[in-house]
Amino acid sequence: MIAMLGFEQHDHHQCVTDGIKAAEAYCAEKGLRFTETRKRVLEILLEGHRALGAYDILEVLHSEGRGSQPPVAYRALDFLVEHRFAHKIERLNAFVACGHIGETHAPIFLICNTCDAVAEAHADPANNQVLTLARKSGFAVERLVAEVIGTCPDCQ
């Protein structure tokens, strides 16, 4: 089954609320520090389902008086990616909030060539052909990133 989040209309405020709650619960369970900067970077990513570069995020942080040096954004992004609260979109050299924080899944990113909108499809890892092929060959997958390039519904 594939669940999709990003292109359809929905309540972005609820995405932010649910995403932050999930990240806070995960950090509490694992004994991780979910600092105000890490939280704010995740909020920025959750607010619009768009991939943002580190400097885009840094610009927002700077406008809010939270720092203007690149390590501020990169440290927060590294933490978010490490704990799967966010994903790096290689094609865009940008980051997007995970649409399924706290769930085990194999994300598939649909990236619009025209507007750079990103939707995250959520595939069940047990049914993922790439993971199945890797397991059969004895390959231990550490991370799988699938990026599909095309045109979103709004740009078609």
Side-chain angles (χ1 to χ4, degrees):
M1 181 179 161
I2 295 180
M4 186 90 57
L5 183 63
F7 294 145
E8 75 281 354
Q9 296 297 315
H10 63 281
D11 182 358
H12 289 301
H13 176 69
Q14 193 62 50
C15 289
V16 174
T17 301
D18 292 347
I20 295 299
K21 281 183 185 176
E24 287 173 336
Y26 178 90
C27 288
E29 178 184 319
K30 302 290 183 187
L32 301 170
R33 288 186 59 235
F34 193 46
T35 65
E36 284 302 314
T37 300
R38 291 170 177 173
K39 180 179 178 180
R40 182 61 188 129
V41 170
L42 182 56
E43 287 171 344
I44 292 166
L45 291 173
L46 285 163
E47 286 169 351
H49 300 295
R50 301 194 80 71
L52 296 172
Y55 282 90
D56 298 322
I57 294 165
L58 187 61
E59 189 176 304
V60 174
L61 294 175
H62 178 68
S63 73
E64 297 173 351
R66 295 178 184 264
S68 61
Q69 299 300 313
V72 171
Y74 281 111
R75 280 193 296 266
L77 288 165
D78 286 346
F79 175 87
L80 297 177
V81 169
E82 178 184 349
H83 297 287
R84 297 188 174 114
F85 301 155
H87 304 288
K88 183 171 185 188
I89 305 297
E90 301 295 335
R91 178 180 182 347
L92 302 174
N93 192 27
F95 300 86
V96 64
C98 179
H100 309 282
I101 292 173
E103 297 177 27
T104 300
H105 64 289
I108 301 167
F109 299 102
L110 309 176
I111 304 167
C112 181
N113 260 334
T114 306
C115 70
D116 288 337
V118 176
E120 179 182 344
H122 173 181
D124 179 354
N127 295 327
N128 187 295
Q129 289 182 338
V130 173
L131 295 175
T132 300
L133 290 170
R135 277 193 294 271
K136 283 182 180 179
S137 70
F139 186 80
V141 176
E142 293 175 9
R143 186 176 80 135
L144 171 68
V145 179
E147 297 181 2
V148 181
I149 312 305
T151 308
C152 75
D154 288 342
C155 292
Q156 289 181 30

